[in-house]
Amino acid sequence: MTVHSSGAVKQDRTVAVFGAAGHTGRFVVSELLRRGFTPIAVARDVAKLAEFADRGIEVRGASTDDPDSLDQAFKGAAAIINCAGPFLDTADAVASGALRAGIHYLDVTAEQPSAQAIYDKFDKQARDAGVLFIPAMGFYGGFADLLVTTAMGDWEFADEIRVGIALDSWHPTQGTRITGVKNTARRMIVANGELAPVVQPAAEMDWDFPAPFARQKVIELPFSEIVVISRHTRSSELRTYLNRTALSDVRDPATPPPKPADEEGRSAQVFLVEATLRKGEQIRRIAVEGRDIYAFSAPLICEAVQRILDGRARGSGAQAPGAVFDARDYLDALAPHNLSFVVADH
């Protein structure tokens, strides 16, 4: 159910997926089907969508440099999920198409400049249209925001927020590698209450994760969660750290892409994300474990679409998930199949 600014109610379960032929896009289409939505698979090259057409899923071709093709591709949809990176190349055009169609826009960008650009450019226009634009609603970005929002609870301010990400391996997709080459913007953290670039060389330290990871060498490496969390959460310091194992994998050109390891197509990769918050002498922690950062982004973003279309989201405009959803209820909805809460006793 979508409530527009006019107060009219539109019943619709159709969701367009731009970049459906990609690794994450395929997971998203499958997750939409599992939840009872009608997906429209969209890509520049329709030939790459043959697998969807063979399954009776509507396919449409569209290009970011052809606004008319985007308008045709999004016709009849209630929301658009953008899975096509690099998002610095696609997000503006796809979000503009969503705005012209008067529908909700979500993406899974890990790119800080892309998420910030959606906030800066589309907030007022989306509010005026009565729709939600939620960038970075993937593993990197919205996921950490939901964790931090849950841990914040009744706090209105935190002196320090740290997000630690541990992966037992990181086999990057082709899209991840292309984005890594093209995204040359300086990474940002929050220091002294303001967005600021990471000081180079990036800080390294030990992080005592809960089992199964335990102590890990980590390096300061912020993704889009910094922009998303700081959108609505006040803190003096906000930083993200990634374990060295994952960083070594993704930086090694010989590391192969992910391989399916179960009937759902998920890889065997295990992740653990821990957020630690400090306010004075008080410390709060939340830690969760899951499997396959790419596959996990599908239920994560589809849960957002479902809540928006069911009327369980607050407000409109370009927003962070923690600002429009009940964060703890959201995380609970992803457990136990996609997510497990981990006791952090250190």
Side-chain angles (χ1 to χ4, degrees), residues 30 48 50 62 73 76 83 92 98 110 171 180 193 197 200 272 312 320:
S30 294
K48 293 182 178 180
C83 297
D92 185 86
H171 290 232
Q200 297 297 331
L272 192 147
R312 290 182 289 155

PDB file of all heavy atoms in Angstrom, residues 30 48 50 62 73 76 83 92 98 110 171 180 193 197 200 272 312 320:
ATOM      1  N   SER A  30      14.418 -12.987  -6.810  1.00  0.00           N
ATOM      2  CA  SER A  30      13.949 -14.211  -6.150  1.00  0.00           C
ATOM      3  C   SER A  30      13.285 -13.912  -4.818  1.00  0.00           C
ATOM      4  O   SER A  30      12.263 -14.521  -4.466  1.00  0.00           O
ATOM      5  CB  SER A  30      15.124 -15.179  -5.943  1.00  0.00           C
ATOM      6  OG  SER A  30      15.631 -15.640  -7.186  1.00  0.00           O
ATOM      7  N   LYS A  48      20.282 -10.511 -21.443  1.00  0.00           N
ATOM      8  CA  LYS A  48      20.776 -11.043 -20.180  1.00  0.00           C
ATOM      9  C   LYS A  48      19.636 -11.387 -19.214  1.00  0.00           C
ATOM     10  O   LYS A  48      19.875 -11.958 -18.152  1.00  0.00           O
ATOM     11  CB  LYS A  48      21.722 -10.042 -19.531  1.00  0.00           C
ATOM     12  CG  LYS A  48      23.020  -9.836 -20.306  1.00  0.00           C
ATOM     13  CD  LYS A  48      23.939  -8.879 -19.587  1.00  0.00           C
ATOM     14  CE  LYS A  48      25.260  -8.719 -20.336  1.00  0.00           C
ATOM     15  NZ  LYS A  48      26.188  -7.776 -19.650  1.00  0.00           N
ATOM     16  N   ALA A  50      17.032 -13.304 -20.127  1.00  0.00           N
ATOM     17  CA  ALA A  50      16.309 -14.447 -20.694  1.00  0.00           C
ATOM     18  C   ALA A  50      15.873 -15.429 -19.614  1.00  0.00           C
ATOM     19  O   ALA A  50      14.785 -16.009 -19.690  1.00  0.00           O
ATOM     20  CB  ALA A  50      17.189 -15.147 -21.733  1.00  0.00           C
ATOM     21  N   ALA A  62      16.238  -1.006 -20.436  1.00  0.00           N
ATOM     22  CA  ALA A  62      16.332   0.422 -20.149  1.00  0.00           C
ATOM     23  C   ALA A  62      17.786   0.798 -19.923  1.00  0.00           C
ATOM     24  O   ALA A  62      18.590  -0.014 -19.468  1.00  0.00           O
ATOM     25  CB  ALA A  62      15.510   0.789 -18.913  1.00  0.00           C
ATOM     26  N   ALA A  73      10.205   1.448 -18.473  1.00  0.00           N
ATOM     27  CA  ALA A  73      10.564   0.299 -17.645  1.00  0.00           C
ATOM     28  C   ALA A  73       9.893   0.333 -16.285  1.00  0.00           C
ATOM     29  O   ALA A  73       9.576  -0.712 -15.710  1.00  0.00           O
ATOM     30  CB  ALA A  73      12.081   0.235 -17.474  1.00  0.00           C
ATOM     31  N   GLY A  76       3.868   1.170 -14.100  1.00  0.00           N
ATOM     32  CA  GLY A  76       3.085   0.162 -13.401  1.00  0.00           C
ATOM     33  C   GLY A  76       3.694  -0.338 -12.119  1.00  0.00           C
ATOM     34  O   GLY A  76       3.073  -1.139 -11.402  1.00  0.00           O
ATOM     35  N   CYS A  83      19.903  -2.109  -8.319  1.00  0.00           N
ATOM     36  CA  CYS A  83      21.005  -3.005  -7.960  1.00  0.00           C
ATOM     37  C   CYS A  83      22.189  -2.853  -8.904  1.00  0.00           C
ATOM     38  O   CYS A  83      23.107  -3.681  -8.880  1.00  0.00           O
ATOM     39  CB  CYS A  83      20.530  -4.455  -7.994  1.00  0.00           C
ATOM     40  SG  CYS A  83      19.235  -4.870  -6.825  1.00  0.00           S
ATOM     41  N   ASP A  92      21.559   8.529  -9.941  1.00  0.00           N
ATOM     42  CA  ASP A  92      20.872   9.780 -10.264  1.00  0.00           C
ATOM     43  C   ASP A  92      19.810   9.563 -11.339  1.00  0.00           C
ATOM     44  O   ASP A  92      18.670  10.022 -11.210  1.00  0.00           O
ATOM     45  CB  ASP A  92      21.882  10.830 -10.724  1.00  0.00           C
ATOM     46  CG  ASP A  92      21.227  12.186 -10.967  1.00  0.00           C
ATOM     47  OD1 ASP A  92      21.100  12.963  -9.999  1.00  0.00           O
ATOM     48  OD2 ASP A  92      20.822  12.452 -12.126  1.00  0.00           O
ATOM     49  N   ALA A  98      12.370   7.314 -11.003  1.00  0.00           N
ATOM     50  CA  ALA A  98      11.408   6.993  -9.946  1.00  0.00           C
ATOM     51  C   ALA A  98      10.596   8.225  -9.568  1.00  0.00           C
ATOM     52  O   ALA A  98       9.374   8.149  -9.354  1.00  0.00           O
ATOM     53  CB  ALA A  98      12.144   6.439  -8.726  1.00  0.00           C
ATOM     54  N   ALA A 110      27.205   0.924  -1.705  1.00  0.00           N
ATOM     55  CA  ALA A 110      28.179   1.062  -0.632  1.00  0.00           C
ATOM     56  C   ALA A 110      28.996   2.336  -0.797  1.00  0.00           C
ATOM     57  O   ALA A 110      29.864   2.632   0.022  1.00  0.00           O
ATOM     58  CB  ALA A 110      29.120  -0.144  -0.612  1.00  0.00           C
ATOM     59  N   HIS A 171      34.848 -12.799  -1.529  1.00  0.00           N
ATOM     60  CA  HIS A 171      34.994 -13.073  -2.951  1.00  0.00           C
ATOM     61  C   HIS A 171      34.149 -12.043  -3.695  1.00  0.00           C
ATOM     62  O   HIS A 171      32.927 -12.169  -3.753  1.00  0.00           O
ATOM     63  CB  HIS A 171      34.533 -14.495  -3.260  1.00  0.00           C
ATOM     64  CG  HIS A 171      35.457 -15.544  -2.726  1.00  0.00           C
ATOM     65  ND1 HIS A 171      35.961 -16.561  -3.505  1.00  0.00           N
ATOM     66  CD2 HIS A 171      35.995 -15.726  -1.491  1.00  0.00           C
ATOM     67  CE1 HIS A 171      36.758 -17.325  -2.781  1.00  0.00           C
ATOM     68  NE2 HIS A 171      36.789 -16.833  -1.549  1.00  0.00           N
ATOM     69  N   GLY A 180      35.150  -0.532  -7.205  1.00  0.00           N
ATOM     70  CA  GLY A 180      36.386  -0.231  -6.481  1.00  0.00           C
ATOM     71  C   GLY A 180      37.362   0.581  -7.317  1.00  0.00           C
ATOM     72  O   GLY A 180      38.066   1.460  -6.786  1.00  0.00           O
ATOM     73  N   GLY A 193      31.965  15.540  15.569  1.00  0.00           N
ATOM     74  CA  GLY A 193      30.599  15.879  15.195  1.00  0.00           C
ATOM     75  C   GLY A 193      30.395  16.273  13.750  1.00  0.00           C
ATOM     76  O   GLY A 193      29.280  16.617  13.362  1.00  0.00           O
ATOM     77  N   PRO A 197      37.320  13.541   6.207  1.00  0.00           N
ATOM     78  CA  PRO A 197      37.989  12.430   5.532  1.00  0.00           C
ATOM     79  C   PRO A 197      38.800  11.579   6.496  1.00  0.00           C
ATOM     80  O   PRO A 197      39.308  12.062   7.515  1.00  0.00           O
ATOM     81  CB  PRO A 197      38.894  13.134   4.513  1.00  0.00           C
ATOM     82  CG  PRO A 197      39.097  14.507   5.058  1.00  0.00           C
ATOM     83  CD  PRO A 197      37.844  14.853   5.788  1.00  0.00           C
ATOM     84  N   GLN A 200      44.981   9.390   6.565  1.00  0.00           N
ATOM     85  CA  GLN A 200      45.849   8.361   5.998  1.00  0.00           C
ATOM     86  C   GLN A 200      47.236   8.426   6.611  1.00  0.00           C
ATOM     87  O   GLN A 200      47.737   9.518   6.883  1.00  0.00           O
ATOM     88  CB  GLN A 200      45.926   8.531   4.480  1.00  0.00           C
ATOM     89  CG  GLN A 200      44.600   8.341   3.773  1.00  0.00           C
ATOM     90  CD  GLN A 200      44.038   6.946   3.920  1.00  0.00           C
ATOM     91  OE1 GLN A 200      44.785   5.971   4.061  1.00  0.00           O
ATOM     92  NE2 GLN A 200      42.718   6.839   3.915  1.00  0.00           N
ATOM     93  N   LEU A 272      29.979 -11.128  10.368  1.00  0.00           N
ATOM     94  CA  LEU A 272      29.557 -10.689  11.694  1.00  0.00           C
ATOM     95  C   LEU A 272      29.763  -9.187  11.765  1.00  0.00           C
ATOM     96  O   LEU A 272      30.833  -8.686  11.414  1.00  0.00           O
ATOM     97  CB  LEU A 272      30.339 -11.389  12.806  1.00  0.00           C
ATOM     98  CG  LEU A 272      29.771 -11.208  14.218  1.00  0.00           C
ATOM     99  CD1 LEU A 272      30.033 -12.455  15.066  1.00  0.00           C
ATOM    100  CD2 LEU A 272      30.341  -9.991  14.928  1.00  0.00           C
ATOM    101  N   ARG A 312       4.032   0.593   6.701  1.00  0.00           N
ATOM    102  CA  ARG A 312       4.744   0.514   7.986  1.00  0.00           C
ATOM    103  C   ARG A 312       6.028   1.328   7.976  1.00  0.00           C
ATOM    104  O   ARG A 312       7.003   0.988   8.640  1.00  0.00           O
ATOM    105  CB  ARG A 312       5.049  -0.946   8.320  1.00  0.00           C
ATOM    106  CG  ARG A 312       3.814  -1.758   8.680  1.00  0.00           C
ATOM    107  CD  ARG A 312       4.183  -3.176   9.037  1.00  0.00           C
ATOM    108  NE  ARG A 312       4.608  -3.943   7.872  1.00  0.00           N
ATOM    109  CZ  ARG A 312       5.419  -5.000   7.933  1.00  0.00           C
ATOM    110  NH1 ARG A 312       5.933  -5.372   9.090  1.00  0.00           N
ATOM    111  NH2 ARG A 312       5.737  -5.651   6.825  1.00  0.00           N
ATOM    112  N   ALA A 320      17.117   7.717   5.963  1.00  0.00           N
ATOM    113  CA  ALA A 320      17.834   6.548   6.447  1.00  0.00           C
ATOM    114  C   ALA A 320      16.809   5.555   6.994  1.00  0.00           C
ATOM    115  O   ALA A 320      15.772   5.962   7.530  1.00  0.00           O
ATOM    116  CB  ALA A 320      18.809   6.945   7.552  1.00  0.00           C
TER     117      ALA A 320
END
